[in-house]
Amino acid sequence: MKEILVLHGPNLNLLGSREPQVYGSMTLEEINRRLMAEGERLGIKVRCFQSNAEGALIDQLHEARGWAAGVIFNPGGYTHTSVALRDAVAAIGIPVIEVHLSNVEAREEFRQRSLISAVCWGKISGLGWKSYWLALHAFALRFQEDEMR
Ligand code: DQA
């Protein structure tokens, strides 16, 4: 069975209570629960991890080389600042989809630049928790296409 890492960056542990008008009212646990259940339905094992620490996120990306067929990554505020996370994504040779709950392009100017996007397979933003959901489905389609080849 294919496995996917869902990686959440800083402050996403506070989802549900954190600026709900921007990020919605669903908790991180609920998002993870839905992704794992949908993964099961699609025949994909979903493993979730959250950290507020840049180094821990980098370690997870490195470790994913050993087991993950794809990564769904919300780098949070590090999206806009972290050369080290960009380098980790570029280094691992696994397709990564960058996701954001909010529409970062429609927000403050500093959020409109992502250091991560250019080294990702794709990016989904602005659809709330459904950004993650659609990323999972994009991987399911990719895996199906791989199998047909
Ligand atoms: C975010 C957008 C970032 O700009 C912000 O720093 C976050 C969350 C999102 O999912 O919309 O922490 O990645």
Side-chain angles (χ1 to χ4, degrees):
M1 193 189 266
K2 298 269 198 214
E3 296 190 57
I4 280 187
L5 170 64
V6 177
L7 191 56
H8 308 278
N11 301 307
L12 294 167
N13 53 314
L14 301 181
L15 283 181
S17 61
R18 174 194 182 198
E19 298 180 83
Q21 70 287 1
V22 179
Y23 299 116
S25 55
M26 200 180 286
T27 62
L28 192 67
E29 288 70 30
E30 179 60 15
I31 293 175
N32 288 343
R33 197 193 60 71
R34 289 187 185 204
L35 293 173
M36 288 187 290
E38 185 64 0
E40 219 165 273
R41 211 181 61 76
L42 295 166
I44 297 171
K45 183 164 172 50
V46 173
R47 291 201 223 170
C48 304
F49 181 85
Q50 188 276 333
S51 178
N52 295 319
E54 195 175 13
L57 296 168
I58 292 170
D59 288 343
Q60 285 295 317
L61 288 167
H62 290 182
E63 278 170 32
R65 276 185 309 178
W67 61 270
V71 180
I72 297 171
F73 187 22
N74 185 346
Y78 289 137
T79 307
H80 320 294
T81 62
S82 178
V83 173
L85 276 171
R86 177 201 175 103
D87 288 347
V89 169
I92 58 176
I94 302 170
V96 175
I97 302 181
E98 177 184 339
V99 299
H100 299 283
L101 297 138
S102 65
N103 179 357
V104 280
E105 314 298 336
R107 299 183 63 197
E108 301 95 325
E109 205 174 332
F110 66 85
R111 291 186 207 277
Q112 293 173 20
R113 184 183 69 148
S114 166
L115 297 188
I116 314 289
S117 301
V119 289
C120 288
W121 175 37
K123 168 175 168 173
I124 302 172
S125 74
L127 305 176
W129 69 274
K130 295 178 283 298
S131 294
Y132 291 93
W133 179 273
L134 292 173
L136 178 58
H137 277 263
F139 273 121
L141 290 170
R142 181 182 173 125
F143 298 157
Q144 270 175 26
E145 284 174 353
D146 286 349
E147 272 165 29
M148 286 187 309
R149 251 184 236 137

